[in-house]
Amino acid sequence: MSVAFNRHGTWAIYRFEMARFLRTLLQSVLTPVITTSLFVVVFGAAIGGRMSEVNGVPYGAFIVPGLIMLSLFTESISNASFGIHFPKFTGTIFELLSAPVSPFEIVLGYVGAAATKSFLLGLIILATASFFVPIGILHPAWMIAFMALTAVTFSLFGFIIGIWAKNWEQMQLIPTLVVTPMTFLGGAFYSIDMLPPAWRTVTLFNPVVYLISGFRWSFFGTSDVGVSVSLAMTLVFLLACLALVALIFRTGYRLKH
Amino acid sequence: MRAIVSIAGLTKRYATGGDALKRIDLDIREGEIFALLGPNGAGKTTLINIVCGIVTPTSGRVLVDGHDIVRDYRAARSRIGLVPQELVTEAFETVRAAASFSRGLFGHAPDPRHVEKVLRDLSLWDRRNDIMMTLSGGMKRRVMIAKALSHEPRILFLDEPTAGVDVELRRDMWGLVRRLRDQGVTIILTTHYIDEAEEMADRIGVINHGELILVEDKARLMKKLGKRQLTLNLQEPLAAIPTELGEWSLALNANGHELEFTFDAVEEHTGIPALLRKLEQLGINYRDLNTKQSSLEEIFVSLVSDRATALQ
């Protein structure tokens, strides 16, 4: 039996991971929904009421794409990193390593499931936010595309973290120290046009700026940077993650002795 | 007989230094139960993990049913079931979900009937909806076997299958291994319980310090290396061995109450009849006698210690 693609194996991993999501549905959905609601209420209603429009968009609506992105980043990373780190931690990874599945199939199963979860969550957050503020979506297809791309990219990134991390503390390291600050400084809650010119230049080195900007464009048609630049940066990040994953499997880094 | 696993020139050197395996050559025959014996740290698990794809070999080649484990890993791995030494389980999954997952992972279409059969065979069917972390150690061991059997392997690796399990489960396990062998599954088990190898195996390999010291048919091994002993319980104690008995290798034990004669099991002429005649002539009477063949454990200990002495 020499199959080119182990679909049963890939499907088994995907289903296994999705089952974990469904088992913890309440925590998985409730936490981000409550967080988003708090952000929208506090920033959007309380503070936003005293603020002028940003690029012609009411502040309450303006922050919604940023909030969705923030959740997509953190949820994709935590889902994917947990998914692969847990078997490493418990030792059940032996089965994955001894199974007739290719690295591509393993990644497809784990990253696919993590991306599915965070994508669904993004939609739920969008629905939640629309309870509080009216949101129009100018380019729905692009919005879906940006969301899907971001979910896949950060799930890949999370998968890498899950393999790299030697313990649970290290798992938190990159999300806490890198991703969250970059998101907050990446224009989740403001337009980078609002920054002094010097800081604006510094901010342009932050890749998250491009992700949020492109996503926001799909909602309101206005953006900090060009949409094609946003898309290109997202794809670059995606390819970088893919290359790193390929390298991990080729060398067996922190997977095999 | 055809070799279903063929290992040639296999070495493993860890980055930290140590040679875990030193040029292992070994053929496992289709349908046999092969026991790999050796003390802790001898390289048993490393060898298994290489064949199963968990550890990358430093050099050498392994064929599983004719398929190279690196180039043709899908074909090779889909034939193998592995039950590792450590009890590791998907803590929050149910027993049945875990077994079904393994079946899918190894490329098989879902088959609830087969999974049910495997769970029944291992007395797990009543626990099928239990969450793994609620199971006892013995039950977890059964689940791990069920997972390995869920994908219908032709070769089953059991790494220390009975370490830390109770007598009942051990009997069950032995029964299961025999049934599997009858179905044509090749079984490779590692153990440091010698009685297990003695009870189960068709052939035995002894590994120590990463070297395969010997591979031998179990019966032949015991015959070749086994010593037999005849013990006579004397009616009257002897102060010393009479000089007339000088041609036999004898020892006096239990304050002269036991006369022990050690002889080679392979020899046709053991010398027992002559010894007994001589004793009668000398008027030495005995109440009872018994013979005993040395166990695999004694053979093993002498092998490993001989090796250690030779190395010094």
Side-chain angles (χ1 to χ4, degrees):
Chain A
M1 185 188 76
S2 192
V3 279
F5 182 74
N6 180 351
R7 68 193 162 93
H8 292 301
T10 312
W11 182 237
I13 297 173
Y14 185 85
R15 273 216 354 208
F16 187 89
E17 285 299 294
M18 290 308 282
R20 190 163 60 77
F21 175 58
L22 292 175
R23 215 169 32 230
T24 56
L25 194 64
L26 206 65
Q27 299 102 291
S28 308
V29 172
L30 214 58
T31 316
V33 165
I34 289 178
T35 315
T36 313
S37 306
L38 285 173
F39 269 121
V40 172
V41 169
V42 173
F43 282 100
I47 300 173
R50 295 159 191 268
M51 286 179 62
S52 54
E53 296 185 336
V54 184
N55 300 335
V57 180
Y59 187 68
F62 176 84
I63 61 169
V64 171
L67 283 173
I68 295 176
M69 275 287 158
L70 179 62
S71 290
L72 275 182
F73 298 162
T74 50
E75 288 299 316
S76 299
I77 289 177
S78 78
N79 278 328
S81 61
F82 187 89
I84 190 70
H85 191 75
F86 194 63
K88 261 185 73 181
F89 174 73
T90 59
T92 53
I93 191 138
F94 86 86
E95 196 178 24
L96 195 66
L97 296 175
S98 66
V101 285
S102 68
F104 174 70
E105 289 151 5
I106 293 175
V107 171
L108 200 62
Y110 278 103
V111 172
T116 308
K117 288 179 234 175
S118 45
F119 183 82
L120 291 175
L121 214 66
L123 292 181
I124 292 171
I125 290 169
L126 179 61
T128 311
S130 65
F131 274 115
F132 298 99
V133 285
I135 303 160
I137 301 166
L138 227 62
H139 309 288
W142 279 109
M143 186 212 79
I144 295 292
F146 268 113
M147 233 167 85
L149 260 177
T150 307
V152 170
T153 305
F154 277 78
S155 294
L156 272 171
F157 189 49
F159 187 80
I160 294 166
I161 292 172
I163 288 177
W164 164 80
K166 283 182 176 167
N167 49 51
W168 297 103
E169 284 74 29
Q170 286 192 348
M171 289 265 287
Q172 295 304 320
L173 212 61
I174 294 197
T176 318
L177 291 183
V178 182
V179 179
T180 308
M182 274 168 80
T183 311
F184 274 80
L185 300 174
F189 301 107
Y190 55 87
S191 163
I192 61 170
D193 289 338
M194 294 156 87
L195 296 173
W199 281 110
R200 191 178 184 281
T201 313
V202 172
T203 302
L204 287 176
F205 287 98
N206 180 354
V208 171
V209 167
Y210 301 91
L211 299 175
I212 293 179
S213 171
F215 191 52
R216 186 170 281 141
W217 167 84
S218 70
F219 279 77
F220 310 120
T222 59
S223 59
D224 291 334
V225 292
V227 181
S228 49
V229 181
S230 284
L231 194 62
M233 284 300 280
T234 315
L235 289 173
V236 165
F237 192 29
L238 175 71
L239 290 176
C241 287
L242 276 175
L244 209 54
V245 169
L247 193 69
I248 284 172
F249 278 104
R250 189 163 316 140
T251 57
Y253 173 78
R254 288 193 182 170
L255 280 177
K256 285 191 186 191
H257 289 296
Chain B
M1 206 184 280
R2 198 170 84 93
I4 194 152
V5 178
S6 177
I7 299 167
L10 194 68
T11 63
K12 176 64 187 177
R13 171 168 294 164
Y14 282 109
T16 43
D19 281 327
L21 293 178
K22 301 167 190 162
R23 284 200 66 82
I24 302 281
D25 297 293
L26 174 65
D27 277 350
I28 306 290
R29 299 169 188 161
E30 187 163 18
E32 74 174 335
I33 299 179
F34 186 90
L36 201 54
L37 281 176
N40 287 324
K44 303 186 294 282
T45 302
T46 304
L47 181 59
I48 288 186
N49 283 350
I50 288 176
V51 178
C52 294
I54 296 168
V55 169
T56 316
T58 306
S59 67
R61 189 212 58 187
V62 180
L63 298 180
V64 174
D65 201 10
H67 301 280
D68 187 285
I69 56 158
V70 179
R71 270 206 325 276
D72 203 2
Y73 70 93
R74 279 189 207 273
R77 292 182 192 174
S78 64
R79 285 159 172 78
I80 297 176
L82 167 64
V83 183
Q85 193 173 337
E86 274 144 69
L87 280 179
V88 293
T89 51
E90 294 83 356
F92 305 109
E93 289 296 326
T94 64
V95 170
R96 181 158 52 175
S100 306
F101 170 72
S102 299
R103 183 175 171 84
L105 196 62
F106 278 74
H108 287 271
D111 183 353
R113 291 238 307 275
H114 179 76
V115 171
E116 178 178 341
K117 185 186 170 300
V118 168
L119 294 182
R120 283 190 189 280
D121 282 351
L122 284 152
S123 318
L124 282 168
W125 184 244
D126 294 338
R127 314 293 299 268
R128 63 190 177 278
N129 294 320
D130 285 13
I131 303 295
M132 217 84 91
M133 57 189 281
T134 65
L135 299 178
S136 67
M139 280 293 166
K140 282 181 186 155
R141 177 75 65 188
R142 286 173 198 260
V143 175
M144 293 184 68
I145 298 173
K147 281 165 70 70
L149 294 179
S150 70
H151 53 85
E152 303 165 50
R154 295 189 50 201
I155 305 155
L156 184 66
F157 283 93
L158 296 167
D159 197 356
E160 309 263 348
T162 52
V165 307
D166 60 23
V167 180
E168 194 197 341
L169 178 51
R170 205 163 164 196
R171 294 270 156 216
D172 280 6
M173 207 93 85
W174 290 357
L176 175 81
V177 167
R178 290 206 185 88
R179 284 203 303 279
L180 287 169
R181 199 256 307 264
D182 293 343
Q183 291 162 22
V185 178
T186 306
I187 290 145
I188 296 135
L189 58 92
T190 74
T191 182
H192 47 238
Y193 298 126
I194 316 279
D195 54 337
E196 194 159 271
E198 198 168 338
E199 172 89 22
M200 307 287 314
D202 299 315
R203 283 199 308 152
I204 287 171
V206 177
I207 190 168
N208 198 26
H209 299 298
E211 275 179 281
L212 204 54
I213 302 173
L214 78 95
V215 176
E216 188 74 86
D217 197 79
K218 181 185 67 184
R220 207 177 304 151
L221 174 68
M222 296 194 54
K223 216 166 171 185
K224 193 155 87 182
L225 295 167
K227 291 260 186 270
R228 287 179 71 181
Q229 264 171 0
L230 170 71
T231 309
L232 295 160
N233 297 87
L234 304 177
Q235 266 172 0
E236 301 292 329
L238 282 177
I241 296 167
T243 46
E244 290 90 337
L245 300 175
E247 61 178 292
W248 292 274
S249 70
L250 296 171
L252 261 183
N253 293 329
N255 289 325
H257 281 96
E258 277 179 21
L259 192 62
E260 200 177 82
F261 171 41
T262 307
F263 57 96
D264 213 318
V266 197
E267 276 176 32
E268 296 267 313
H269 304 288
T270 55
I272 292 177
L275 174 67
L276 296 182
R277 273 197 300 275
K278 194 80 185 172
L279 286 174
E280 213 177 316
Q281 281 171 24
L282 293 169
I284 301 172
N285 295 318
Y286 46 90
R287 280 177 297 160
D288 196 8
L289 79 167
N290 68 73
T291 65
K292 146 176 164 268
Q293 184 150 15
S294 55
S295 71
L296 200 49
E297 179 151 9
E298 288 157 337
I299 299 172
F300 177 68
V301 168
S302 79
L303 258 176
V304 172
S305 60
D306 282 358
R307 242 0 227 212
T309 329
L311 286 173
Q312 276 163 11

